[in-house]
Amino acid sequence: MTRELEKKSMYIEQTPETVENGPSKNFDDDGRVKRTGTLVTASAHIITAVIGSGVLSLSWAIAQLGWVAGPAVLMAFSLITYFTSTLLADSYRSDHGTRNYTYMGVVRSHLGGLKVQLCGLAQYGNLIGVTIGYTITASISMVAVERSNCFHKHGHQAKCSISNYPFMIIFAAIQIILSQIPNFHELSWLSIVAAVMSFAYSSIGLGLSIAKVAGGGHARTSLTGVTVGVDVSGSEKVWRSFQAIGDIAFAYAYSTVLIEIQDTLKSPPPENKVMKKASFIGVSTTTIFYVLCGCVGYAAFGNKAPGNFLTGFGFYEPFWLIDFANVCIAIHLIGAYQVFAQPIFSFVERLCSQKWPENKFITTEHAINVPLFGTWYINLFRLVWRTIYVVLTAVIAMIFPFFNDFLGLIGAASFYPLTVYFPIEMHIAQSKIPKYSFTWIWLKILSWACLIVSLVAAAGSIQGLAHDVKTYKPFKTQ
């Protein structure tokens, strides 16, 4: 089979002929290229998607909510995310056993109608937002390395004003190269590297916070968080609390890529069982890190906790360790960007292949011999379209670089539809749960409660963005 035909086979739906003939050595029972994913690779994908820039804002979020509400909200989002991810994993195959390759495909199979378009809007809007957010965060971490060295050399009071924009361009250049990785199936090595990096910088942040607390530096904390009249005004307290809830919601977001991750798993064993185990490993691991980083970070910095405690210079020394942590963040986000961008790439390329199947620009793969790597296949459409996408996300990030507010808005906008609403509605439809039964009622209560949380968090983030826009001038060094 030629490379061109092999590529087309990625989009072949299951047919009676392929089922009758059975899976071959290189292809699954539906005619697509055989999957090789395992519990380890799925867990790495989840950890790469979940432990991201969100962990860096958790001490700030806990500071807004306090010792009681902060950890309680963290644990609540963790349990909700795990529960709904198990429902989503069970929806991967339709009632008659065929695979659904995307989140939209799953919704089309179980719900249909207008909800498919709403799912696509929420999912791909979220994925685009995340890639913009990661471009911003990676550049902040790269700038933090330069500023850390500047502070070490010239003293902590030095101005050390450095532009983010050159680093956004560097990040985009790296992504243009990595975006030529054809699909999610070939991304596992990058996810494993990124997952190791996320453990590294989370552990460094945690260790520095513990050292600060052990050093006896007194930081003012309280059961209810920042104090009205001392730290903030009454209205600021409310808006910041809303924004903190959004930050925590975003810190657990991976439902946008769950189906795409599950579609990499080889079977047998059944994909849903492996995915549930991977979700448990991913969510429990990240919850431990989140509670430790958030709570110990709050103990270290108190109500003055910065929005990003590694790049907001809660710590200045040892400068080399701060530098290393920020390099780890940047490397992690390089991998995480690809985890969130690949479904977008796949969606557009699949649509174009189906619409123009005979177009050589879209379907032809050109073989190039790369020393030490062997044969590498370049597709001109993939090269052009993915490069344009990366450049556009970088330009938007340059115009709109507000880290905390942007983080909260993405989390709030996507948390309800993708993490709660669709998984619950598909479970009700798939399990044929009777209307107004006890199970139906409590699932609906959970769904509506999460909608209220999302609206509140979105309001807080929009208010924060509106406040920042008043003072911000595009393309100026901050």
mmCIF file of all heavy atoms in Angstrom, residues 402 466-473 478:
data_model
loop_
_atom_site.group_PDB
_atom_site.id
_atom_site.type_symbol
_atom_site.label_atom_id
_atom_site.label_comp_id
_atom_site.label_asym_id
_atom_site.label_seq_id
_atom_site.Cartn_x
_atom_site.Cartn_y
_atom_site.Cartn_z
ATOM 1 N N PHE A 402 -2.843 38.154 28.773
ATOM 2 C CA PHE A 402 -3.234 38.211 30.189
ATOM 3 C C PHE A 402 -3.337 36.786 30.725
ATOM 4 O O PHE A 402 -4.307 36.097 30.425
ATOM 5 C CB PHE A 402 -4.573 38.931 30.349
ATOM 6 C CG PHE A 402 -4.642 40.253 29.647
ATOM 7 C CD1 PHE A 402 -5.614 40.496 28.704
ATOM 8 C CD2 PHE A 402 -3.714 41.248 29.917
ATOM 9 C CE1 PHE A 402 -5.682 41.700 28.048
ATOM 10 C CE2 PHE A 402 -3.769 42.461 29.272
ATOM 11 C CZ PHE A 402 -4.761 42.695 28.323
ATOM 12 N N ALA A 466 -11.498 42.793 31.494
ATOM 13 C CA ALA A 466 -11.938 44.173 31.252
ATOM 14 C C ALA A 466 -11.071 45.159 32.023
ATOM 15 O O ALA A 466 -10.700 46.228 31.513
ATOM 16 C CB ALA A 466 -13.400 44.324 31.659
ATOM 17 N N HIS A 467 -10.683 44.779 33.243
ATOM 18 C CA HIS A 467 -9.817 45.633 34.064
ATOM 19 C C HIS A 467 -8.439 45.765 33.437
ATOM 20 O O HIS A 467 -7.851 46.849 33.390
ATOM 21 C CB HIS A 467 -9.712 45.041 35.473
ATOM 22 C CG HIS A 467 -8.823 45.818 36.390
ATOM 23 N ND1 HIS A 467 -7.471 45.522 36.557
ATOM 24 C CD2 HIS A 467 -9.067 46.899 37.175
ATOM 25 C CE1 HIS A 467 -6.935 46.374 37.409
ATOM 26 N NE2 HIS A 467 -7.879 47.228 37.808
ATOM 27 N N ASP A 468 -7.889 44.655 32.915
ATOM 28 C CA ASP A 468 -6.550 44.668 32.308
ATOM 29 C C ASP A 468 -6.518 45.439 30.998
ATOM 30 O O ASP A 468 -5.548 46.119 30.679
ATOM 31 C CB ASP A 468 -6.056 43.226 32.060
ATOM 32 C CG ASP A 468 -5.602 42.550 33.343
ATOM 33 O OD1 ASP A 468 -5.353 43.269 34.326
ATOM 34 O OD2 ASP A 468 -5.507 41.313 33.358
ATOM 35 N N VAL A 469 -7.603 45.313 30.214
ATOM 36 C CA VAL A 469 -7.646 45.976 28.909
ATOM 37 C C VAL A 469 -7.546 47.488 29.042
ATOM 38 O O VAL A 469 -6.982 48.169 28.182
ATOM 39 C CB VAL A 469 -8.944 45.565 28.149
ATOM 40 C CG1 VAL A 469 -9.204 46.476 26.954
ATOM 41 C CG2 VAL A 469 -8.839 44.120 27.684
ATOM 42 N N LYS A 470 -8.066 48.038 30.143
ATOM 43 C CA LYS A 470 -8.037 49.498 30.350
ATOM 44 C C LYS A 470 -6.618 50.050 30.395
ATOM 45 O O LYS A 470 -6.372 51.181 29.989
ATOM 46 C CB LYS A 470 -8.759 49.852 31.658
ATOM 47 C CG LYS A 470 -10.260 49.657 31.613
ATOM 48 C CD LYS A 470 -10.875 49.950 32.979
ATOM 49 C CE LYS A 470 -12.372 49.637 32.974
ATOM 50 N NZ LYS A 470 -12.951 49.826 34.331
ATOM 51 N N THR A 471 -5.685 49.254 30.903
ATOM 52 C CA THR A 471 -4.311 49.751 31.091
ATOM 53 C C THR A 471 -3.316 49.174 30.095
ATOM 54 O O THR A 471 -2.163 49.595 30.070
ATOM 55 C CB THR A 471 -3.823 49.426 32.516
ATOM 56 O OG1 THR A 471 -3.909 47.996 32.713
ATOM 57 C CG2 THR A 471 -4.688 50.116 33.564
ATOM 58 N N TYR A 472 -3.752 48.201 29.271
ATOM 59 C CA TYR A 472 -2.807 47.516 28.391
ATOM 60 C C TYR A 472 -2.675 48.164 27.038
ATOM 61 O O TYR A 472 -3.658 48.589 26.427
ATOM 62 C CB TYR A 472 -3.238 46.047 28.211
ATOM 63 C CG TYR A 472 -2.343 45.295 27.261
ATOM 64 C CD1 TYR A 472 -1.021 45.005 27.610
ATOM 65 C CD2 TYR A 472 -2.786 44.914 26.003
ATOM 66 C CE1 TYR A 472 -0.192 44.346 26.736
ATOM 67 C CE2 TYR A 472 -1.965 44.239 25.126
ATOM 68 C CZ TYR A 472 -0.648 43.960 25.503
ATOM 69 O OH TYR A 472 0.168 43.304 24.631
ATOM 70 N N LYS A 473 -1.431 48.244 26.560
ATOM 71 C CA LYS A 473 -1.157 48.734 25.206
ATOM 72 C C LYS A 473 -0.490 47.605 24.417
ATOM 73 O O LYS A 473 0.558 47.113 24.799
ATOM 74 C CB LYS A 473 -0.203 49.949 25.243
ATOM 75 C CG LYS A 473 -0.849 51.160 25.902
ATOM 76 C CD LYS A 473 0.120 52.342 25.949
ATOM 77 C CE LYS A 473 -0.507 53.545 26.619
ATOM 78 N NZ LYS A 473 0.442 54.679 26.723
ATOM 79 N N GLN A 478 6.237 44.837 28.749
ATOM 80 C CA GLN A 478 5.616 45.010 30.068
ATOM 81 C C GLN A 478 6.671 45.124 31.144
ATOM 82 O O GLN A 478 7.632 44.392 31.156
ATOM 83 C CB GLN A 478 4.698 43.814 30.359
ATOM 84 C CG GLN A 478 3.561 43.699 29.366
ATOM 85 C CD GLN A 478 2.671 44.908 29.322
ATOM 86 O OE1 GLN A 478 2.010 45.212 30.309
ATOM 87 N NE2 GLN A 478 2.665 45.627 28.233
#
